[in-house]
Amino acid sequence: MKRAFIKSYGCQMNVYDATRMADQLTASGYEMTDKADGADLILLNTCHIREKAAEKVYSELGRLKGEGGLIGVAGCVAQAEGEEIIRRQPRVDFVVGPQAYHRLPALIAAAEKGQSPVETDLSDDKFQSLAAPQRRAVTARGVTAFLTVQEGCDKFCAFCVVPYTRGAEVSRPVADIVAEARQLAEAGVREITLLGQNVNAFNGADGGGRASLAGLLAQLAEIDGLARLRFTTSHPNDMSEDLIAAHRDEAKLMPYLHLPVQAGSDRVLKAMNRKHTADAYRELIARIRKARPDIALSGDFIVGFPGETDADFEATMALVEDIGYASAYSFKYSPRPGTPAATRTDQVPEAIMSERLQRLQALLTTQQKAFNRACVGRTMPVLIEKPGKHAGQWVGRSPYLQPVHIPEGAGSVGDIVEVAVHAAEGNSLFAEPAGRRVAA
Ligand code: 5AD
Ligand code: SF4
């Protein structure tokens, strides 16, 4: 049997896409392997979000060029650079964009004949064209799974490549999502994270009408065996009332929300084309916290957007101080070819970006530690995911997405157990079964 290896970079959607590409490959006679060495097909599933992510692909291709098998480039670099990839690295046999991976078998067949096909059509509905996911390949690899429900973005933030690499917003029909979620649940999955570049703008066909993300969550919550639901990632302007209410009313929806704001200065937010102010974000967070007071908030930040002054950056620090994040991701601005901000002449010097990033990350780390410390002494349900680093230990997730280490005797993988948290270290919590503590 021929063996295929997929390496994924970037976001969770790429992780999900890799499972769907694996579906395609196993259906056409490949066996998946976790080693590039000796594989008959190597597929790099790439990310274009920041320059470093894209450059990684070319250095990996340089390393792989001595391998014997076919080499394909998939994902967002494939979409953004197309034929340029083969020009820069002629060892690449084919290029397939993220909306075209249902064409994978045909592209491989063409590459085997010595052609170098490049397929970056954005107009197809790949979900329609993909075979129904096979149960085995639908990540029965664990008790948690990703499920893409929406792709693409219509927001056009001035820094972002996503509208160009993933195309316009498209939501999958509710019935297809529910069917896929049922298969996952039957395969033992307890928690599903719904994915979309702008997932809270979800607007999927449902019977004769349309369903919002809250409507979709309500239907998924009825699936037996499925205990937890999450979604990522969202835009503040699409945080509708029904979705906020779902955080209050839907017991299976976990109290964690990734809601990027990117910056705290109105001037920068405007230049970024974010379409909201810093105060609008503060008010939104207040309404969400009213619905779900214990919600863990997460966000993304960019420092050094073109034209960002010291005062603008201080406004970001002030916003972070006001909100209090449980976790967050922060990045230096990276000009992306084809985006409006890339051609601005007022780019911020690297040294200033580094200094700002360091200060912001120090603040965010302090907040994360404070959030974790506040969990010590509390009891909470933990979904047991897998063995921990040390013998006799499981690792699971809290409702707030923190890794929690518990003794093995607490239950089995897939169980949700009530635990008492006794320590917070690094990004993790340490706990013991709540029952045992009460008995002791
Ligand atoms: N430069 C730096 N960070 C970026 N992001 C997106 N585009 C860029 C860019 N050009 C960050 C944003 C986004 C996250 C996924 O990546 O914070 O929310
Ligand atoms: Fe990277 Fe964005 Fe593509 Fe995800 S969608 S892989 S973050 S460029």
Side-chain angles (χ1 to χ4, degrees):
M1 211 184 215
K2 285 191 284 188
R3 285 178 307 155
F5 168 73
I6 304 180
K7 179 164 183 177
S8 274
Y9 302 82
C11 65
Q12 293 153 327
M13 193 169 288
N14 267 13
V15 176
Y16 173 82
D17 284 350
T19 66
R20 300 304 302 270
M21 287 194 276
D23 284 0
Q24 291 278 292
L25 294 173
T26 41
S28 45
Y30 278 91
E31 173 184 61
M32 300 311 294
T33 161
D34 52 11
K35 282 197 269 316
D37 208 20
D40 302 286
L41 169 65
I42 297 172
L43 200 52
L44 298 188
N45 188 23
T46 61
C47 175
H48 205 241
I49 196 88
R50 287 172 292 277
E51 190 177 358
K52 274 193 185 145
E55 282 308 314
K56 255 192 215 163
V57 174
Y58 287 103
S59 41
E60 183 68 16
L61 286 172
R63 269 195 297 278
L64 289 172
K65 67 175 191 244
E67 291 288 328
L70 288 180
I71 297 183
V73 176
C76 295
V77 176
Q79 189 64 41
E81 308 214 334
E83 283 171 16
E84 175 63 22
I85 297 174
I86 297 182
R87 266 197 292 277
R88 233 176 114 174
Q89 183 45 268
R91 178 61 184 81
V92 171
D93 297 291
F94 66 95
V95 174
V96 54
Q99 300 306 324
Y101 58 66
H102 53 290
R103 303 242 175 86
L104 211 43
L107 295 170
I108 292 169
E112 276 167 347
K113 288 191 204 130
Q115 299 163 9
S116 305
V118 173
E119 179 58 78
T120 52
D121 191 353
L122 273 180
S123 63
D124 254 31
D125 185 348
K126 75 172 170 202
F127 289 116
Q128 283 281 300
S129 318
L130 280 174
Q134 291 140 29
R135 195 166 303 173
R136 199 193 55 76
V138 170
T139 318
R141 294 188 191 116
V143 295
T144 63
F146 295 129
L147 202 176
T148 294
V149 302
Q150 179 274 337
E151 258 194 87
C153 183
D154 296 342
K155 287 281 186 294
F156 290 92
C157 298
F159 50 80
C160 188
V161 287
V162 168
Y164 312 98
T165 57
R166 293 277 176 168
E169 282 177 12
V170 179
S171 296
R172 294 177 68 188
V174 170
D176 292 3
I177 298 165
V178 170
E180 196 172 326
R182 280 220 169 87
Q183 287 194 15
L184 288 168
E186 281 164 20
V189 167
R190 309 292 324 272
E191 173 182 300
I192 293 182
T193 302
L194 306 181
L195 300 180
Q197 266 92 30
N198 193 15
V199 74
N200 60 342
F202 179 84
N203 179 31
D206 186 19
R210 318 284 304 175
S212 66
L213 186 63
L216 174 66
L217 286 164
Q219 293 193 41
L220 294 173
E222 284 176 15
I223 297 175
D224 285 340
L226 212 55
R228 293 179 160 192
L229 295 168
R230 303 179 186 275
F231 61 88
T232 196
T233 183
S234 299
H235 191 285
N237 288 7
D238 291 312
M239 209 59 216
S240 55
E241 285 309 319
D242 63 343
L243 189 54
I244 296 176
H247 271 293
R248 180 189 62 215
D249 302 329
E250 184 50 69
K252 289 187 180 179
L253 180 58
M254 291 296 101
Y256 176 94
L257 178 64
H258 183 66
L259 195 60
V261 66
Q262 313 293 357
S265 143
D266 286 344
R267 216 178 59 81
V268 171
L269 287 169
K270 189 152 198 279
M272 286 178 163
N273 193 30
R274 291 290 293 176
K275 303 185 178 88
H276 62 78
T277 61
D279 277 349
Y281 182 82
R282 285 182 176 90
E283 282 156 24
L284 174 62
I285 295 295
R287 280 192 286 132
I288 294 165
R289 281 196 162 132
K290 202 166 159 211
R292 183 73 206 221
D294 66 333
I295 201 159
L297 289 169
S298 168
D300 291 338
F301 296 90
I302 296 177
V303 300
F305 184 81
E308 185 186 70
T309 62
D310 284 341
D312 291 325
F313 174 67
E314 295 309 329
T316 297
M317 294 292 280
L319 181 65
V320 171
E321 290 278 9
D322 287 349
I323 301 294
Y325 287 92
S327 74
Y329 305 87
S330 44
F331 315 97
K332 288 181 203 169
Y333 170 72
S334 165
R336 306 312 296 130
T339 60
T343 48
R344 284 182 54 155
T345 52
D346 48 357
Q347 303 288 327
V348 174
E350 173 69 27
I352 294 180
M353 284 204 276
S354 293
E355 195 192 305
R356 289 180 186 165
L357 187 65
Q358 228 170 40
R359 276 188 58 206
L360 177 60
Q361 289 187 337
L363 175 59
L364 290 166
T365 303
T366 308
Q367 293 191 339
Q368 181 171 18
K369 287 200 169 131
F371 185 87
N372 289 347
R373 257 198 321 274
C375 292
V376 176
R378 287 183 56 192
T379 61
M380 56 182 74
V382 165
L383 170 59
I384 303 180
E385 283 185 15
K386 57 186 181 201
K389 263 195 228 122
H390 303 291
Q393 200 186 48
W394 290 131
V395 187
R397 293 273 178 178
S398 74
Y400 313 109
L401 209 58
Q402 299 138 306
V404 186
H405 302 266
I406 54 175
E408 219 172 36
S412 311
V413 169
D415 287 349
I416 295 176
V417 294
E418 200 64 25
V419 302
V421 179
H422 58 76
E425 262 172 54
N427 296 333
S428 303
L429 301 179
F430 293 81
E432 53 193 280
R436 186 188 300 171
R437 178 166 258 212
V438 173

